[in-house]
């Protein structure tokens, strides 16, 4: 893999399942009914269960840890702004844009977004700082 340049974009398509949300609720202990109870969720403004915020941004960790320069990648910080809810059974695209390098510290800043693939609506946005001595020097 070649070294990234400012403005480079990496995309990854994915779908969350209800079973994954239930497993995350079990692991995290966050069993808020808006995430796990279809009957409860039907009575809310969302009309269906929403994916946990932290679980939705776990897609960023997956990409950084396994797909985008994963060798020696260390996550330093991650911000997230939840604009619209993420639901199960819908195809999304995670978009990673190289924003800035800090070569003296072997770090990079990426802009992260989750976009609904069909509509193009931004669901989550934020930034991540990562360290990687192999690619960010």
């Amino acid at each position: 893999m070649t070294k990234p340049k400012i403005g480079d974009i990496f995309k990854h398509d994915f779908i969350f399942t209800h079973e994954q949300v239930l497993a995350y609720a079990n692991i995290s202990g966050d069993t808020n009914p808006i995430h796990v109870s279809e009957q409860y969720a039907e009575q809310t403004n969302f009309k269906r269960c929403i994916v946990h915020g932290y679980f939705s941004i776990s897609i960023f960790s997956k990409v950084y840890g396994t797909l985008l320069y994963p060798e020696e990648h260390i996550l330093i910080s991650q911000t997230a702004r939840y604009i619209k809810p993420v639901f199960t059974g819908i195809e999304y695209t995670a978009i990673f844009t190289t924003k800035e390098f800090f070569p003296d510290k072997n770090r990079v800043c990426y802009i992260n977004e989750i976009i609904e693939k069909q509509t193009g609506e931004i669901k989550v946005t934020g930034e991540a700082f990562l360290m990687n001595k192999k690619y960010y020097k």
Side-chain angles (χ1 to χ4, degrees):
M1 190 172 267
T2 61
K3 292 182 181 181
K5 298 180 286 307
I6 291 177
D8 280 358
I9 296 172
F10 181 84
K11 296 181 179 184
H12 176 70
D13 294 335
F14 65 98
I15 296 173
F16 288 114
T17 67
H18 186 65
E19 292 74 24
Q20 289 172 322
V21 169
L22 294 176
Y24 181 82
N26 185 49
I27 291 167
S28 69
D30 181 354
T31 56
N32 183 321
I34 192 62
H35 303 303
V36 299
S37 171
E38 295 289 345
Q39 295 79 15
Y40 175 87
E42 287 173 359
Q43 307 305 311
T44 70
N45 291 340
F46 302 112
K47 303 296 181 204
R48 59 189 290 197
C49 290
I50 60 174
V51 175
H52 299 77
Y54 280 147
F55 184 46
S56 69
I57 66 169
S58 72
I59 195 66
F60 301 148
S61 181
K62 173 189 175 180
V63 170
Y64 291 135
T66 64
L67 301 173
L68 184 64
Y69 309 106
E71 184 182 345
E72 299 183 34
H73 236 175
I74 304 295
L75 179 64
I76 303 298
S77 69
Q78 171 75 61
T79 63
R81 183 169 163 247
Y82 303 97
I83 298 169
K84 292 190 173 189
V86 172
F87 299 108
T88 60
I90 294 176
E91 191 169 14
Y92 295 99
T93 301
I95 301 174
F96 304 82
T97 305
T98 309
K99 179 180 176 184
E100 187 174 0
F101 290 102
F102 305 90
D104 56 320
K105 295 188 176 193
N106 301 310
R107 294 184 183 177
V108 66
C109 176
Y110 286 104
I111 298 169
N112 304 318
E113 296 174 307
I114 295 175
I115 296 176
E116 187 174 326
K117 193 168 182 176
Q118 185 175 5
T119 66
E121 286 183 309
I122 296 177
K123 303 295 182 167
V124 180
T125 187
E127 291 185 345
F129 287 85
L130 291 103
M131 181 174 65
N132 188 315
K133 291 180 181 180
K134 184 174 181 177
Y135 291 103
Y136 308 141
K137 53 185 173 177

